[in-house]
């Protein structure tokens, strides 16, 4: 009887370890690819949008944004978020185009699934976190914006909204971008609460998300999302194998 109880106990331990080490991901595998965020202006599902406006046009074959959203993304203090880019004087046009492109990527891309996380916010249920942005995109964003002015390093929170759009809070001084963001990585990582993470990979590597790409060519971010989705789904299984194999070997030894 004692031997039978030992066998049952060992089998229970193996089963428990097997279940406990199962891979866990925020979404099912099918939801990591070709998916839209559950956020303020996103469509429920991606699809063609032939008339996307100007800088949002690279996503016209398959987009999470509507035509109207793409138009509003190009406006100052648009209805999207009532955000004022010129909160410290006129933002340089070369700088503003990066923020328009950033908005287009956020609103339109169906390839951000591996980095979507649930949030408890009144205006959205999901956000992106640590999207690996190609180093050239971070570098050019910083280079083109370093001589424009801002008063904050985190643009997600802490603004004065009493006027209906964002203004600098009291005692927040306006300085050049390179005062608040001394490096390209600081800009990409910090400006939207780590929505992006400056990558060491280059454009075309298949390992980083491109903010800019040629609309005539296929969307390179599809390959990137697929790589990270497969990596995320395989991680839990790979981590579980050593423990599972060890327990199975112990069980076989005891039963022999």
């Amino acid at each position: 009887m004692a031997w039978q109880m030992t066998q049952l106990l060992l089998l229970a331990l193996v089963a428990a370890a097997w279940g406990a080490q199962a891979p866990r991901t925020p979404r099912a595998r099918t939801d990591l690819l070709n998916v839209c965020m559950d956020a303020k202006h996103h469509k429920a599902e991606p699809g063609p949008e032939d008339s996307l406006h100007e800088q949002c046009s690279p996503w016209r074959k398959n987009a999470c944004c509507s035509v109207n959203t793409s138009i509003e993304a190009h406006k100052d203090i648009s209805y999207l978020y009532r955000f004022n880019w010129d909160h410290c004087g006129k933002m340089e046009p070369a700088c503003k185009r990066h923020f328009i492109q950033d908005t287009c990527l956020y609103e339109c891309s169906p390839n951000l699934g591996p980095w979507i996380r649930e949030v408890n916010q009144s205006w959205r249920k999901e956000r992106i976190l640590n999207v690996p942005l190609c180093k050239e995109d971070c570098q050019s964003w910083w280079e083109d914006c370093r001589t424009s002015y801002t008063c904050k390093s985190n643009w997600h929170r802490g603004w004065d909204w009493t006027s209906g759009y964002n203004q600098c809070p009291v005692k927040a001084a306006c300085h050049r971008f390179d005062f608040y963001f001394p490096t390209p990585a600081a800009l990409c990582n910090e400006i939207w609460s780590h929505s992006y993470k400056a990558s060491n990979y280059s454009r075309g590597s298949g390992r980083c998300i491109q903010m800019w790409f040629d609309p005539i060519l296929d969307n390179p971010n599809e390959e990137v999302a697929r790589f990270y989705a497969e990596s995320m789904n395989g991680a839990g299984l790979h981590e579980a194998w050593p423990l599972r194999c060890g327990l199975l070997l112990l069980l076989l030894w005891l039963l022999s």
Side-chain angles (χ1 to χ4, degrees):
M1 179 64 73
W3 176 239
Q4 290 177 334
M5 290 297 293
T6 301
Q7 289 177 313
L8 290 172
L9 179 60
L10 287 168
L11 287 171
L13 285 171
V14 171
W18 200 279
Q21 294 296 320
R24 298 177 183 178
T25 56
R27 289 167 168 253
R29 179 175 183 176
T30 54
D31 286 335
L32 291 177
L33 301 174
N34 197 38
V35 64
C36 299
M37 269 180 283
D38 187 354
K40 190 172 184 180
H41 300 291
H42 291 72
K43 292 160 44 178
E45 295 180 355
E49 294 285 350
D50 294 337
S51 301
L52 289 185
H53 192 58
E54 294 184 3
Q55 289 183 226
C56 294
S57 64
W59 288 275
R60 64 177 180 266
K61 292 181 182 178
N62 192 34
C64 288
C65 61
S66 66
V67 173
N68 194 43
T69 296
S70 73
I71 293 172
E72 291 293 323
H74 291 72
K75 295 180 180 179
D76 295 331
I77 316 181
S78 75
Y79 89 89
L80 294 181
Y81 304 103
R82 301 293 299 165
F83 199 90
N84 176 26
W85 307 116
D86 301 329
H87 51 267
C88 277
K90 190 70 175 176
M91 180 182 280
E92 293 292 336
C95 176
K96 188 174 291 185
R97 64 192 287 269
H98 288 276
F99 284 98
I100 294 171
Q101 198 69 14
D102 158 47
T103 304
C104 289
L105 174 66
Y106 174 80
E107 299 289 346
C108 301
S109 177
N111 307 123
L112 302 176
W115 303 280
I116 292 176
R117 301 293 182 267
E118 291 183 3
V119 290
N120 183 21
Q121 295 177 334
S122 60
W123 56 284
R124 61 179 180 179
K125 295 181 179 178
E126 293 180 326
R127 64 163 294 186
I128 50 173
L129 184 66
N130 292 328
V131 174
L133 204 61
C134 294
K135 64 180 182 181
E136 294 91 345
D137 286 5
C138 284
Q139 182 70 37
S140 61
W141 192 356
W142 184 78
E143 289 286 353
D144 288 342
C145 288
R146 62 187 303 181
T147 57
S148 289
Y149 284 78
T150 185
C151 57
K152 286 170 52 57
S153 59
N154 186 330
W155 287 17
H156 258 156
R157 56 178 65 92
W159 296 101
D160 176 0
W161 291 94
T162 55
S163 61
Y165 56 88
N166 62 301
Q167 292 181 305
C168 294
V170 177
K171 297 183 180 180
C174 290
H175 293 285
R176 283 181 21 151
F177 262 60
D178 52 11
F179 174 86
Y180 285 102
F181 307 109
T183 64
L187 173 61
C188 282
N189 296 350
E190 296 172 18
I191 194 163
W192 298 126
S193 302
H194 298 277
S195 292
Y196 300 124
K197 182 179 181 180
S199 175
N200 290 323
Y201 287 107
S202 296
R203 297 164 58 85
S205 65
R207 299 295 183 268
C208 61
I209 291 292
Q210 293 183 203
M211 189 180 289
W212 306 81
F213 60 91
D214 189 340
I216 297 176
L217 306 176
D218 290 335
N219 185 342
N221 295 330
E222 293 179 2
E223 177 189 350
V224 180
R226 190 177 304 112
F227 170 79
Y228 283 98
E230 291 174 355
S231 299
M232 295 169 84
N233 280 287
L237 184 62
H238 292 155
E239 291 171 1
W241 270 116
L243 177 59
R244 292 178 181 177
C245 289
L247 287 170
L248 285 173
L249 288 172
L250 175 62
L251 177 62
L252 290 171
W253 179 75
L254 289 171
L255 292 177
S256 63

